[in-house]
Amino acid sequence: MEGAAPRMLAWAERRLPALTRLRPREALPIVLHRRRIYIVPTAFGLGFALLLAVMLVGALNYANNAALMLTCLLGATTAGSMLVAFRVLNGLAIGTLRAGTARASERIPVSLDLSASQRERSAVRMDIADREFAVTVPAGGHATIEFELHAERRGWLPLPRMRIHTRWPLGLFRAWSWIHPDAAVLVYPMPEALGPSPFEPQGDADRGRPRAGDELASLRDYRPGDPRRHIAWKLSARHHGLLVKDMEQPAPKEDWRLDWDSVRGLDDESRIARLARWIDEARESGRRWSLRLPDAYFDVAQGDEHYHRCMTALALRP
Amino acid sequence: MTRFRLSLGTPVATEPRLAERPFNLLCLSMAFVLAMHATHLPWWFTATLGATLAWRWWHRSHGGRPVSMWIKLPIVGLLLAAVIATYGTLFGREPGSAFAAGLLVLKTLETEHRRDARVGVAFGGFALMSALLFNQSMIVTVIVALGLAPALATLRAIEEITPPRDAWRAELGPVLIMLAASIPLAAFAFFFIPRLESPLWGAPNPGKAVTGLSNTMSPGEMSELLVDDTPALRVSFDGPVPTGEDRYFRAYTMLHFDGRQWSQGFRGYPPSDGTTNGRQRFRYHVTMEPTQQRILPMLDMPSAAPVDATLQYDRTALANQRVQSTKTYDASASVDYQLDTGLNPALRRGALQLPAAVGPRARAMAEGWAVQYGHDAEAIARAALAMFRDGGFRYTLAPAPLGADRIDDFLFGTREGFCEYYASSFTFLMRAAGVPARVVTGYQGGYWNALGSYLLVRRADAHAWAEVWISGRGWVRFDPTGAVRPERVSLGAASAAAADWDTPFFSGRWIRSLQDHWDVVNQWWNQAVNGFDALRQRGMLQPFGIRRVDVGDLAVILAVGCSLLVAAALGWALFQRREGDALDTWMHRLQRKLAKAGVTRRTGEGPRHFMARAARSLPAHRNALERLSELYLRSRYAHDEPPPELVKQFQKGVREFRARGMVK
């Protein structure tokens, strides 16, 4: 019974798009237009309408014009609040999606900007992935909604259909619009938990390449010929002679040459998971690595850009 | 596949707790409602509820937990018991509103969530309206309408916004604007909502007696009335206005006296035969405040009954229905009249009735007069008036209490009192002397509001006098109070009583003028708003050539008019300023000017190229165009946002740019 209603709704949306107002995905930014904003009274609004009716009948029955006037005033304000609710959404722009990175089965942080050019929009709410977010969009500025999506699988995760709505100002009417952005966030593959280290690199063309060390190892007495910038001036001032910072030259780590074809005996997903673990390890240990995929090659490098490029390629493996 | 929820309800499973701001506003609205009802609730009831509300506010704002059911239930029971003990019932206007106000305050005890607050606000709106059942004067209506502001602000605060606003002004101000903006629609609906011809169910039954004239009179009873400044009648005259001595409005005549109290007695006498002399007639128009009684006070002496009223045997006018809302009637009166010149024998017996064993000394004195003046009714009456004038009688609104025999005790003992005392004892003396007489109550005097050109008669103008039947003249009015204190007749009850101490400040002209203005406003309110009934509503469209409208027509007008007003508001809601900044706007204007001069910007033509082309085509404006081009490029491309001063310069340049017609 639980799943019947969503199933029916899904069926209705497939069969009767005109009725359910299901829209195809749209590119961001989406500017809300009056033809896509709907308004219904809330449950409280219905109750309030009933109350107004009782007040009206009472005032008419007792021929009490002052009470009738009060009822009319309250009713007119109610009607006005509907328009105010509509104005909150009308012309609101939803754009600028930013997504963090996450691996499959993690939660991926996403932020979405709402902007309005003219007026302040109060108490704008968005229902995303079963949670409600409330923001106030300042006039001429933007407000950011930060939420998390659950990433089940690697690859592109399309944004879910979201509802943007408001009950401003009195909670009597709910104005809402569905938005279905044509945007997706990238989910990196889940690295395997345990597994062998990558094979040792073949060839040692890079080995022993001098590298600039920058870790302070020890202090020693000055010897002629030491570069002046290595002198520890502050410490020398409290000492009888000049002290020199002795910089360690860490031994360069071996580069990893990661190759799709070298992982044998595994299905594609496991290969991807293993490569992802290796890339993670290489990045954590400060190694340089290269990655060869059947249809791409990323030359030896390190750093965030290289990492994201490699992970993207893995994530998007068919 | 993303799953959609079918329902539109909030997706949050647990209803969030109410924040502090909306709760404070809710308490404020409740306090307002309570204050509106305070005038007719017992003081201890109001005080207890106010204290409960204050405690609850303090309790919750100091992090108090929800109040236990074991406290709430007995309190509700207590409220029920208190209302029933006070009023004897739970139904009706007074007990109902007391119970509603009590429940409203108790509702705050269990207000923890948004939903509770919403229910409280809705119920509060209803309770607020019920305050208008007691008093629908303009000032009360306006105050009650302002009471909507905290209630709506509560609803607004429930829709919490992030970040929350600090100032209270930020909560109440926009709500007041909302209320003000809805006045046109409200006014339209007010005028066109079809009124009911007759109530669907019983009209409110006032539990407490309305102060006003009653059909019985015992000396001392009116004292509450004589200090009540509430308007009773407003009378405007066509033509001459009666002077102070002619401003007697008759309401009841009383024939039967039981020693303590005068009452109307037998009412079935044949109608009086009256001739009214046409020498001085007053035509007038009365707006009467509701009294819940049928009697219509009429200026002495009416020649005919107003529409939907009948004249009684004693020439008092009885409306066909109780006066439950503001009533207006037209009448005319004649000062010279002869009423009942041939007195009906039964009526004569009734007008001579005296209770046995009351006032032996008064009887003896009256019988002495009868012998002395040879049963001449007029001479006896003058003797009685002379006794009141010269016998050491004093006019006061706070007389000493009377003993068992009210007549003798007053005439020979205390000798102080006001109109009731004098009218009562005078009539007694007349009857004892064998002259038919009756007591008349009504209003005397009134205040002439020069601003509105009408006579304002207050309840404080209630008066009692006597009518004596004199052979050949019929019933003649005698006012014994006037013998004691003539100012009562010329000035009014309160000023007659207060004549001893002069207060120039309160009788100052400015305060009089302020009162005049205020009463004109109230008069207008009564006629235009409270008196706007089904009849007036149907006549409303006559100026537009529609003779009679029925409910269906009104409904159509209401629907069409409200739709138009809502459509106008919708236009406002839909209005959106065109996107784009000031620089664009002025560039468009420049393009229009140049297009008129023959240089049209081509699609895909950049600003620099276009301006250069324009400068070539209009060599006379070369300098101006080059400067404008430079300004535009600098403001558009040299900064992230066009700097305002550059935009201003550009705007000035465009405004001054005048392209003269070109020979191509």
Side-chain angles (χ1 to χ4, degrees):
Chain A
M1 233 21 237
E2 266 295 299
R7 264 211 311 281
M8 262 180 69
L9 192 64
W11 177 86
E13 282 178 338
R14 266 197 324 277
R15 296 285 168 170
L16 305 162
L19 189 70
T20 55
R21 306 284 180 186
L22 181 70
R23 294 170 157 271
R25 289 178 170 276
E26 313 161 79
L28 287 170
I30 298 172
V31 179
L32 295 184
H33 181 259
R34 62 172 188 272
R35 293 189 59 181
R36 59 185 297 169
I37 298 172
Y38 309 103
I39 299 185
V40 287
T42 57
F44 174 59
L46 289 177
F48 202 82
L50 190 70
L51 176 89
L52 280 175
V54 170
M55 283 169 72
L56 181 71
V57 172
L60 284 178
N61 184 63
Y62 293 141
N64 190 320
N65 278 342
L68 183 64
M69 217 172 230
L70 190 78
T71 310
C72 287
L73 189 64
L74 201 54
T77 311
T78 307
S81 85
M82 179 169 75
L83 297 175
V84 173
F86 170 78
R87 257 169 88 85
V88 169
L89 293 191
N90 193 22
L92 195 68
I94 299 114
T96 326
L97 175 82
R98 283 185 301 273
T101 56
R103 294 138 184 203
S105 84
E106 288 177 353
R107 301 190 72 82
I108 179 165
V110 182
S111 77
L112 201 55
D113 278 357
L114 303 182
S115 60
S117 56
Q118 304 121 12
R119 316 176 294 277
E120 182 184 90
R121 318 297 175 108
S122 306
V124 177
R125 288 155 197 275
M126 276 192 98
D127 289 352
I128 303 166
D130 288 345
R131 277 197 59 200
E132 193 184 62
F133 301 87
V135 289
T136 294
V137 184
H142 63 86
T144 306
I145 292 178
E146 288 170 353
F147 56 98
E148 290 184 330
L149 292 176
H150 184 68
E152 283 177 9
R153 290 183 292 114
R154 69 182 172 86
W156 289 111
L157 172 67
L159 285 190
R161 196 175 174 206
M162 310 166 184
R163 190 173 58 161
I164 182 162
H165 64 109
T166 186
R167 290 190 305 261
W168 187 258
L170 300 181
L172 297 169
F173 292 92
R174 180 196 301 276
W176 85 94
S177 182
W178 286 107
I179 54 170
H180 205 182
D182 185 17
V185 293
L186 190 63
V187 180
Y188 290 167
M190 178 76 178
E192 64 176 6
L194 288 168
S197 283
F199 55 92
E200 287 303 307
Q202 299 165 352
D204 47 4
D206 281 342
R207 186 174 288 186
R209 193 169 63 96
R211 303 189 56 180
D214 50 10
E215 283 175 45
L216 180 64
S218 62
L219 291 170
R220 59 171 171 77
D221 288 336
Y222 176 78
R223 287 197 296 263
D226 283 333
R228 286 170 70 89
R229 60 190 173 88
H230 284 176
I231 296 172
W233 294 107
K234 277 186 185 169
L235 291 166
S236 304
R238 286 186 259 138
H239 206 257
H240 58 271
L242 283 175
L243 292 176
V244 171
K245 289 184 275 192
D246 204 5
M247 297 299 184
E248 190 179 353
Q249 306 271 323
K253 291 202 174 128
E254 291 155 357
D255 294 344
W256 279 352
R257 296 187 175 275
L258 308 175
D259 193 343
W260 176 266
D261 292 326
S262 67
V263 187
R264 292 172 204 282
L266 291 175
D267 61 358
D268 280 6
E269 285 305 319
S270 306
R271 280 190 195 190
I272 289 170
R274 175 155 298 171
L275 286 171
R277 179 172 67 83
W278 284 344
I279 290 173
D280 274 357
E281 281 177 5
R283 188 194 189 203
E284 275 158 27
S285 58
R287 257 177 231 278
R288 291 150 54 87
W289 77 92
S290 70
L291 174 66
R292 182 185 297 278
L293 293 177
D295 50 1
Y297 175 68
F298 300 96
D299 203 353
V300 173
Q302 65 180 164
D304 283 350
E305 200 189 335
H306 182 53
Y307 173 80
H308 289 306
R309 209 180 287 136
C310 293
M311 285 304 252
T312 305
L314 281 181
L316 296 180
R317 286 287 309 158
Chain B
M1 167 83 210
T2 321
R3 298 209 315 209
F4 309 118
R5 282 179 309 103
L6 189 64
S7 87
L8 294 169
T10 49
V12 189
T14 52
E15 180 78 3
R17 192 163 185 269
L18 194 64
E20 193 174 345
R21 174 59 60 84
F23 184 77
N24 289 345
L25 281 166
L26 182 71
C27 287
L28 183 68
S29 343
M30 299 297 169
F32 203 103
V33 174
L34 193 60
M36 287 288 95
H37 281 278
T39 48
H40 53 82
L41 294 179
W43 67 267
W44 55 269
F45 195 80
T46 312
T48 313
L49 288 182
T52 310
L53 184 63
W55 173 79
R56 171 58 179 160
W57 175 78
W58 179 87
H59 172 253
R60 195 178 190 273
S61 49
H62 285 74
R65 303 300 310 149
V67 181
S68 151
M69 188 55 85
W70 297 110
I71 299 177
K72 283 187 288 191
L73 274 182
I75 289 184
V76 173
L78 213 61
L79 171 73
L80 209 62
V83 171
I84 290 180
T86 312
Y87 298 100
T89 171
L90 201 57
F91 302 102
R93 195 171 60 157
E94 272 86 4
S97 68
F99 191 56
L103 282 184
L104 201 59
V105 169
L106 295 189
K107 179 73 192 164
T108 59
L109 288 187
E110 62 165 11
T111 297
E112 285 297 328
H113 304 298
R114 287 180 188 174
R115 203 186 53 202
D116 300 323
R118 288 195 176 121
V119 170
V121 167
F123 192 44
F126 189 73
L128 207 55
M129 190 196 82
S130 70
L132 292 173
L133 291 180
F134 296 90
N135 186 345
Q136 37 176 328
S137 73
M138 186 177 70
I139 188 82
V140 170
T141 309
V142 169
I143 294 176
V144 164
L146 284 179
L148 291 178
L152 294 181
T154 310
L155 291 184
R156 200 164 169 276
I158 290 174
E159 294 305 313
E160 55 205 13
I161 56 171
T162 46
R165 309 223 157 99
D166 293 331
W168 282 84
R169 213 181 37 175
E171 302 284 354
L172 287 175
V175 171
L176 285 175
I177 292 174
M178 271 186 83
L179 281 174
S182 54
I183 284 177
L185 182 60
F188 188 86
F190 171 77
F191 282 115
F192 286 96
I193 284 177
R195 303 299 198 275
L196 296 179
E197 293 275 3
S198 56
L200 297 174
W201 68 89
N205 194 13
K208 196 168 67 179
V210 181
T211 55
L213 293 174
S214 90
N215 56 3
T216 62
M217 185 195 90
S218 55
E221 195 184 52
M222 264 188 198
S223 56
E224 188 189 348
L225 205 56
L226 291 177
V227 293
D228 184 355
D229 253 352
T230 320
L233 312 171
R234 290 185 179 85
V235 190
S236 56
F237 293 89
D238 300 337
V241 178
T243 52
E245 287 73 20
D246 286 330
R247 291 175 188 165
Y248 280 87
F249 291 87
R250 283 167 109 238
Y252 295 100
T253 65
M254 293 170 197
L255 276 180
H256 184 258
F257 184 53
D258 65 358
R260 302 181 65 82
Q261 175 177 279
W262 290 87
S263 57
Q264 289 179 291
F266 178 66
R267 312 272 308 131
Y269 300 109
S272 62
D273 60 319
T275 57
T276 47
N277 199 323
R279 190 171 62 78
Q280 192 165 23
R281 283 169 76 92
F282 297 109
R283 305 189 60 79
Y284 60 98
H285 178 79
V286 180
T287 309
M288 180 185 175
E289 298 289 324
T291 56
Q292 312 295 334
Q293 291 169 1
R294 287 176 60 191
I295 207 80
L296 303 179
M298 301 287 279
L299 194 63
D300 241 3
M301 177 58 75
S303 43
V307 184
D308 68 17
T310 48
L311 276 188
Q312 305 296 296
Y313 79 93
D314 54 359
R315 286 283 170 109
T316 55
L318 209 56
N320 296 340
Q321 282 173 346
R322 288 194 298 162
V323 181
Q324 286 172 337
S325 57
T326 312
K327 178 170 179 63
T328 59
Y329 54 91
D330 292 301
S332 63
S334 170
V335 175
D336 268 0
Y337 62 86
Q338 285 194 324
L339 190 63
D340 276 346
T341 37
L343 190 61
N344 179 290
L347 181 56
R348 182 186 190 88
R349 269 198 303 282
L352 283 170
Q353 169 267 336
L354 279 182
V358 173
R361 290 180 68 188
R363 279 174 204 248
M365 185 171 72
E367 278 157 15
W369 286 340
V371 173
Q372 186 184 345
Y373 296 108
H375 296 280
D376 178 355
E378 215 166 336
I380 296 170
R382 271 202 299 275
L385 291 181
M387 182 199 71
F388 283 132
R389 186 169 58 240
D390 307 325
F393 285 87
R394 206 163 74 81
Y395 181 90
T396 172
L397 289 184
L402 294 176
D405 192 323
R406 298 197 159 206
I407 299 296
D408 276 3
D409 203 34
F410 171 69
L411 286 176
F412 306 103
T414 62
R415 296 190 186 191
E416 57 180 29
F418 48 91
C419 56
E420 291 181 327
Y421 293 76
Y422 294 102
S424 170
S425 48
F426 178 82
T427 310
F428 184 93
L429 287 171
M430 287 299 107
R431 287 185 176 188
V435 180
R438 62 188 179 195
V439 167
V440 185
T441 61
Y443 297 100
Q444 192 276 321
Y447 168 72
W448 181 253
N449 188 324
L451 195 74
S453 294
Y454 60 87
L455 186 72
L456 170 68
V457 179
R458 300 196 177 89
R459 285 183 185 165
D461 294 316
H463 192 45
W465 59 94
E467 279 178 349
V468 174
W469 189 84
I470 297 173
S471 178
R473 289 180 58 191
W475 292 105
V476 176
R477 181 176 69 221
F478 280 88
D479 191 345
T481 317
V484 180
R485 172 139 291 178
E487 298 92 335
R488 172 62 187 89
V489 178
S490 53
L491 291 181
S495 39
D500 295 337
W501 47 291
D502 206 15
T503 51
F505 179 73
F506 285 109
S507 57
R509 288 189 60 164
W510 65 274
I511 205 151
R512 186 65 63 82
S513 141
L514 212 63
Q515 283 172 343
D516 282 7
H517 281 87
W518 182 238
D519 197 69
V520 168
V521 170
N522 274 329
Q523 162 84 330
W524 170 82
W525 178 261
N526 275 343
Q527 288 187 343
V529 178
N530 288 342
F532 189 82
D533 53 4
L535 208 65
R536 299 254 308 273
Q537 191 177 34
R538 292 178 181 197
M540 183 170 54
L541 292 174
Q542 278 182 8
F544 301 100
I546 302 172
R547 294 303 300 170
R548 259 186 95 74
V549 280
D550 62 12
V551 174
D553 296 340
L554 279 174
V556 169
I557 294 173
L558 182 71
V560 170
C562 285
S563 309
L564 284 178
L565 279 169
V566 169
L570 196 64
W572 162 79
L574 289 178
F575 174 75
Q576 269 184 304
R577 237 186 359 222
R578 218 170 49 79
E579 293 292 327
D581 56 17
L583 196 62
D584 271 344
T585 315
W586 288 100
M587 188 62 186
H588 277 291
R589 189 165 297 190
L590 181 62
Q591 284 177 23
R592 274 205 302 279
K593 284 187 171 183
L594 287 172
K596 258 186 225 161
V599 188
T600 315
R601 188 166 172 174
R602 295 180 192 128
T603 320
E605 190 175 34
R608 182 198 290 269
H609 187 264
F610 167 64
M611 296 291 275
R613 189 162 62 86
R616 277 199 305 279
S617 311
L618 306 167
H621 302 290
R622 192 193 172 96
N623 286 340
L625 284 172
E626 275 177 356
R627 189 168 159 272
L628 282 174
S629 169
E630 153 76 11
L631 270 174
Y632 181 81
L633 294 176
R634 220 154 31 104
S635 17
R636 177 55 81 208
Y637 300 109
H639 308 270
D640 285 343
E641 287 282 313
E645 61 273 19
L646 285 184
V647 174
K648 205 163 277 174
Q649 283 179 35
F650 183 73
Q651 171 185 346
K652 190 158 168 282
V654 172
R655 197 178 285 141
E656 286 167 357
F657 182 79
R658 298 264 183 283
R660 260 176 269 118
M662 279 294 302
V663 184
K664 277 190 224 173

